[in-house]
Amino acid sequence: MHIRCSYCRHSFNLSQEFMEIAVASAKEKKQKYYAVECINCRKQIKVPISQMQRFLPREKKAEEKGGD
């Protein structure tokens, strides 16, 4: 998933493994956003969990919903 910092405009990618962990962590805490630290300016960027879920593979989504 491609992210752009709203402060310094540096763009970077989030790996699939990172997003899986972030979504699981946010779901435990019932959060709507996950704070990602910019690799350039080190400020926190809020990334919506719903946006992260769209970039996860469909198999992971089906397992989370309890699909057969």
Side-chain angles (χ1 to χ4, degrees):
M1 180 175 158
H2 193 73
I3 300 281
R4 181 179 296 266
C5 177
S6 56
Y7 299 101
C8 69
R9 300 291 184 215
H10 183 78
S11 58
F12 55 97
N13 290 320
L14 297 178
S15 69
Q16 188 171 352
E17 295 88 23
F18 178 82
M19 288 192 298
E20 289 173 2
I21 294 168
V23 168
S25 168
K27 289 218 179 240
E28 282 180 9
K29 299 175 186 176
K30 297 182 181 179
Q31 296 174 332
K32 293 183 180 180
Y33 296 94
Y34 189 80
V36 177
E37 187 177 281
C38 175
I39 58 176
N40 188 40
C41 67
R42 299 184 58 114
K43 292 192 179 185
Q44 298 290 317
I45 305 165
K46 285 184 1 181
V47 180
I49 296 301
S50 59
Q51 186 178 7
M52 283 185 173
Q53 287 176 331
R54 283 189 273 152
F55 285 92
L56 290 177
R58 294 193 186 271
E59 297 167 356
K60 298 288 182 186
K61 291 179 191 177
E63 289 175 5
E64 288 177 1
K65 291 181 182 177
D68 293 317

